[in-house]
């Protein structure tokens, strides 16, 4: 979704993402946030456990201030977590994550204006899910004080179904939109 009307740059270390995803096997999912400049920060690389058969991300928040990355079990994931701690490649796609912390976005300062995308990719073919909603929080530093903006909530009217794609049937890099 587009963000706009913030003048200049902000400290990227204060950015956080809150999401609600329903999915019947969270160990299948690669999830990342793509910034307007194309930087991709990994949030979950199959929760570190492809055998994680738990369901759902419920009010899951990713921020540099989280105490740990997602556990390899324990879904539904609710609460505060760090972004994924290693760069990863989304198998079957041409996309790789390029950042492991929000603070690394833009070298610590980023112009938040532009389109931000939350991407969830199912790396197996037998389960289904949906991005139900997500929001992104941007910190704001104004004259002689620091303020926090309200979260910008994004509700997806036609929630896209999370499905796996086989590069042998659909070209890699194809952008799939909601129905």
């Amino acid at each position: 979704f587009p963000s706009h009307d913030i003048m200049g740059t902000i400290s990227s270390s204060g950015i956080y993402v809150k999401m609600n995803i329903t999915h019947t096997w969270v160990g299948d999912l690669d999830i990342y946030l793509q910034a307007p400049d194309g930087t991709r920060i990994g949030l979950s690389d199959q929760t570190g456990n492809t055998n994680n058969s738990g369901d759902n991300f419920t009010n899951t928040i990713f921020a540099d201030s989280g105490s740990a990355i997602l556990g390899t079990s324990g879904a539904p994931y609710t609460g505060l977590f760090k972004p994924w701690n290693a760069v990863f490649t989304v198998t079957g796609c041409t996309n790789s994550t390029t950042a492991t912390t929000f603070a690394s976005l833009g070298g610590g300062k980023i112009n938040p204006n532009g389109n931000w995308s939350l991407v969830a990719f199912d790396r197996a073919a037998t389960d289904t899910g949906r991005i139900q909603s997500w929001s992104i929080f941007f910190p704001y530093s104004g004259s002689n004080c620091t303020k926090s903006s309200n979260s910008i909530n994004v509700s997806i009217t036609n929630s896209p179904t999370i499905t796996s794609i086989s590069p042998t049937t659909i070209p890699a890099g194809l952008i799939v939109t909601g129905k």
Side-chain angles (χ1 to χ4, degrees), residues 91-173:
T91 303
C93 288
T94 57
N95 291 339
S96 295
T97 59
T98 54
T100 58
T101 65
F102 287 100
S104 66
L105 296 175
K109 296 276 188 191
I110 191 167
N111 182 335
N113 297 306
N115 291 320
W116 291 79
S117 300
L118 179 69
V119 177
F121 181 79
D122 188 332
R123 290 175 57 175
T126 57
D127 302 293
T128 61
R130 292 184 185 278
I131 298 174
Q132 298 296 336
S133 64
W134 69 285
S135 57
I136 188 167
F137 172 91
F138 300 106
Y140 171 75
S141 293
S143 57
N144 299 326
C145 65
T146 300
K147 298 180 183 178
S148 297
S149 69
N150 293 329
S151 291
I152 301 168
N153 291 312
V154 176
S155 296
I156 302 169
T157 305
N158 295 318
S159 299
T161 301
I162 302 169
T163 58
S164 63
I165 297 174
S166 170
T168 59
T169 58
I170 298 175

Side-chain angles (χ1 to χ4, degrees), residues 7-23:
M7 302 298 286
T9 61
I10 60 167
S11 170
S12 58
S13 65
I15 296 172
Y16 69 82
V17 172
K18 180 178 179 181
M19 65 183 193
N20 289 287
I21 296 177
T22 54
H23 194 273

Side-chain angles (χ1 to χ4, degrees), residues 27-148:
D28 290 348
L29 295 180
D30 281 337
I31 304 169
Y32 64 87
L33 177 71
Q34 183 163 322
D37 67 359
T39 303
R40 292 178 295 278
I41 181 169
L43 303 177
S44 176
D45 183 12
Q46 298 181 293
T47 69
N49 178 8
T50 59
N51 293 317
N52 185 348
S53 62
D55 297 347
N56 305 330
F57 292 84
T58 306
N59 294 321
T60 309
I61 299 168
F62 290 96
D64 287 349
S65 60
S67 61
I69 63 171
L70 291 172
T72 57
S73 63
Y77 291 104
T78 300
L80 178 62
F81 300 92
K82 284 188 172 302
W84 203 250
N85 59 359
V87 173
F88 61 88
T89 299
V90 180
T91 303
C93 288
T94 57
N95 291 339
S96 295
T97 59
T98 54
T100 58
T101 65
F102 287 100
S104 66
L105 296 175
K109 296 276 188 191
I110 191 167
N111 182 335
N113 297 306
N115 291 320
W116 291 79
S117 300
L118 179 69
V119 177
F121 181 79
D122 188 332
R123 290 175 57 175
T126 57
D127 302 293
T128 61
R130 292 184 185 278
I131 298 174
Q132 298 296 336
S133 64
W134 69 285
S135 57
I136 188 167
F137 172 91
F138 300 106
Y140 171 75
S141 293
S143 57
N144 299 326
C145 65
T146 300
K147 298 180 183 178
S148 297

